[in-house]
Amino acid sequence: MPRDRDPAGRPRNARARDALGRPLPRDASQADDEPRIPDDLSLAPRDALRLADELFRAGRPFHAHEVLEASWKSGPSTERDLWQGLAQIAVGLTHAHRGNARGAVTLLRRGAQRVRDYQHAYGIDVQQIRTVAETLAERIERDGLDSIPPEDLRPGLDQRA
């Protein structure tokens, strides 16, 4: 089956997706489709973090990942680990929401490790986010996903909120 392509020839998947980014059946109504993050999203860092925080708290970590990924691709190379790490934490939460404990633990830890050299960035406490990701990974590994309350899978980026 041929893949959808954008005008530049890059692969795109135009299928409708659910809240966790999984493609819906090809015959699904676009009305069932979750709002998408534009491929060319360009936000100031604080705005990107604010939007990602809202998406985390709404239980939409897949979409938060897309916001963070856009920032890592468009941001300065000196901040690549920050944005990639936060995006990996978002993917870890996506795996947790989807019921994939192993993927959740792996990506939460990978993201936490990637942001280890950052203390604060654009008004957020990166070390607090790192601690939340590491603790959640430990809890999932020790007790299983079924023991994690749903609200713990919506940590947000700004722990002051």
Side-chain angles (χ1 to χ4, degrees), residues 60-130:
R60 299 179 64 212
F62 175 82
H63 297 87
H65 154 265
E66 291 183 325
V67 170
L68 296 163
E69 184 177 58
S71 293
W72 124 40
K73 290 181 177 180
S74 65
S77 62
T78 56
E79 295 181 0
R80 177 163 283 145
D81 281 342
L82 170 69
W83 295 105
Q84 284 182 339
L86 294 174
Q88 287 173 327
I89 290 168
V91 173
L93 289 167
T94 300
H95 282 297
H97 280 274
R98 291 178 177 177
N100 176 358
R102 184 174 181 184
V105 168
T106 299
L107 270 296
L108 288 167
R109 285 191 173 138
R110 191 176 295 159
Q113 180 64 21
R114 193 171 290 274
V115 301
R116 74 186 177 283
D117 293 333
Y118 295 88
Q119 296 300 314
H120 292 84
Y122 303 104
I124 65 166
D125 184 342
V126 179
Q127 289 306 303
Q128 178 66 29
I129 295 162
R130 178 182 181 201

Side-chain angles (χ1 to χ4, degrees), residues 21-71:
R22 295 174 291 216
L24 295 172
R26 291 198 181 274
D27 60 351
S29 164
Q30 284 299 114
D32 296 332
D33 194 14
E34 285 287 315
R36 293 187 180 206
I37 302 301
D39 291 331
D40 60 350
L41 180 70
S42 178
L43 295 173
R46 284 186 192 274
D47 294 334
L49 289 168
R50 188 174 312 120
L51 177 56
D53 180 64
E54 290 172 16
L55 293 165
F56 271 112
R57 291 176 190 282
R60 299 179 64 212
F62 175 82
H63 297 87
H65 154 265
E66 291 183 325
V67 170
L68 296 163
E69 184 177 58
S71 293

Side-chain angles (χ1 to χ4, degrees), residues 130-148:
R130 178 182 181 201
T131 299
V132 168
E134 289 173 337
T135 301
L136 186 55
E138 289 169 12
R139 289 174 58 205
I140 292 169
E141 194 168 57
R142 182 186 64 236
D143 304 326
L145 269 173
D146 292 339
S147 71
I148 308 295

